[in-house]
Amino acid sequence: MATITSASSGNFSNSATWVGGVVPGPLDNAIANTGHNVTIDVNTTVIGIQAISTGRFIMGEGVTLTGNVIAPASANTTLLIPVTTNCTIVGNMTTLTSAGSLIAEKTTAGAGGTLNIIGNVYGGSSTNMRGLLVNSTGTINITGDVVATTLAGVGNANAIIINAVCTLNITGNVL
């Protein structure tokens, strides 16, 4: 298992995007470095993805990401899902420990797109930690549990925040 960090913004499948020219594979963790936008342009299997500071991953149209999505250890977003994009995530979505961190955001403007999550969505245990922020219409299907954990006196932890009219289907427990 290796941790492979982005060298620049670009497509996930492009070796020039990654330090050492190695595209992350099924036994690797992929990291979007500060200021880098890495577009998941092909079906991708990794252990997990994570962002550093202002780095982020962007889901491409029709692709499947198989791996865990981990919120950054800062108040930023790991994964953006463009509004009209239809895509699938097979894995758990988990926050770390920073206030305001966000696993994924279904972005604003326009309408449409279906996000399928086959796994669990976990909100964190610190102020304003969010698992999934929905700012656009469309459909979200979650096959797994949705869990928010708030420690007494710490603040608001939310597994999902919805700021738009959308369809949300959850097959699993909501805790």
Side-chain angles (χ1 to χ4, degrees), residues 9 32-38 51-57 72 74-78 80:
S9 293
N33 211 347
T34 301
H36 296 167
N37 291 315
V38 177
I52 297 174
S53 185
T54 58
R56 60 181 51 159
F57 290 89
S74 61
N76 289 298
T77 304
T78 295
L80 288 176

Side-chain angles (χ1 to χ4, degrees), residues 24-168:
L27 299 178
D28 301 321
N29 284 304
I31 306 291
N33 211 347
T34 301
H36 296 167
N37 291 315
V38 177
T39 300
I40 299 173
D41 60 319
V42 296
N43 292 341
T44 299
T45 300
V46 291
I47 291 174
I49 64 170
Q50 187 174 352
I52 297 174
S53 185
T54 58
R56 60 181 51 159
F57 290 89
I58 301 168
M59 288 295 284
E61 172 61 36
V63 300
T64 297
L65 168 64
T66 301
N68 296 314
V69 181
I70 303 166
S74 61
N76 289 298
T77 304
T78 295
L79 179 65
L80 288 176
I81 299 105
V83 66
T84 59
T85 299
N86 298 294
C87 59
T88 301
I89 298 167
V90 179
N92 295 324
M93 301 173 68
T94 307
T95 58
L96 290 176
T97 58
S98 290
S101 64
L102 175 64
I103 300 169
E105 177 182 359
K106 191 167 184 321
T107 57
T108 60
T114 298
L115 169 61
N116 298 301
I117 300 169
I118 303 168
N120 302 312
V121 177
Y122 298 106
S125 58
S126 185
T127 303
N128 296 321
M129 293 182 72
R130 299 152 309 209
L132 177 62
L133 176 63
V134 180
N135 283 324
S136 68
T137 61
T139 301
I140 299 165
N141 300 309
I142 301 173
T143 304
D145 295 338
V146 177
V147 181
T149 306
T150 301
L151 299 177
V154 174
N156 300 317
N158 303 285
I160 301 174
I161 296 174
I162 299 175
N163 293 325
V165 176
C166 70
T167 301
L168 175 62

Side-chain angles (χ1 to χ4, degrees), residues 12-28:
F12 194 100
S13 64
N14 185 345
S15 61
T17 302
W18 303 101
V19 171
V22 177
V23 175
L27 299 178
D28 301 321

